[in-house]
Amino acid sequence: MLETLAERIAGGEVDDLVKELPGDLRPALERGRARSGGQGRRMSLAEFLDLVAERADVTPGEARRYGAAVLATVHDAVTEKEFLDLLSELPKSYVELTHA
């Protein structure tokens, strides 16, 4: 999930997350940034969840629950400003994961 999220957002935002999240999460973030070349790859929420499901070998419903759990964890782990910066990188449809 984090790898796909890092693929979706701009490289600068990934760098900001790397600074605030625990170090053991860094490899997933860096893989995602490398996949997108740091440019952030546009994808709808459905495409995002399908990619998470494929990579994690889970159903799309499970991917949605993973997404909600990861975003909740990120929200708890970073400053409010950083979380809002992250959300600003995502289409509004992604915000529904924060309320799942």
Side-chain angles (χ1 to χ4, degrees):
M1 167 63 193
L2 270 180
E3 181 176 335
T4 307
L5 181 63
E7 184 177 346
R8 172 60 186 84
I9 61 178
E13 187 59 33
V14 175
D15 292 340
D16 292 345
L17 289 175
V18 164
K19 291 175 191 170
E20 293 200 28
L21 291 173
D24 58 335
L25 302 177
R26 184 173 293 149
L29 294 167
E30 291 174 347
R31 284 191 307 271
R33 179 181 44 212
R35 281 181 187 263
S36 70
Q39 298 302 309
R41 184 175 147 212
R42 292 194 182 280
M43 59 182 94
S44 69
L45 178 59
E47 291 169 320
F48 177 82
L49 292 173
D50 285 346
L51 193 52
V52 169
E54 178 183 317
R55 290 177 177 169
D57 194 26
V58 297
T59 68
E62 290 170 312
R64 179 176 289 278
R65 288 189 295 280
Y66 288 173
V70 168
L71 284 178
T73 301
V74 168
H75 191 191
D76 290 344
V78 302
T79 64
E80 188 67 18
K81 179 191 179 310
E82 184 54 41
F83 188 70
L84 293 174
D85 287 350
L86 169 63
L87 291 182
S88 75
E89 294 266 334
L90 301 170
K92 292 188 189 295
S93 61
Y94 281 61
V95 174
E96 73 183 57
L97 287 178
T98 65
H99 304 293

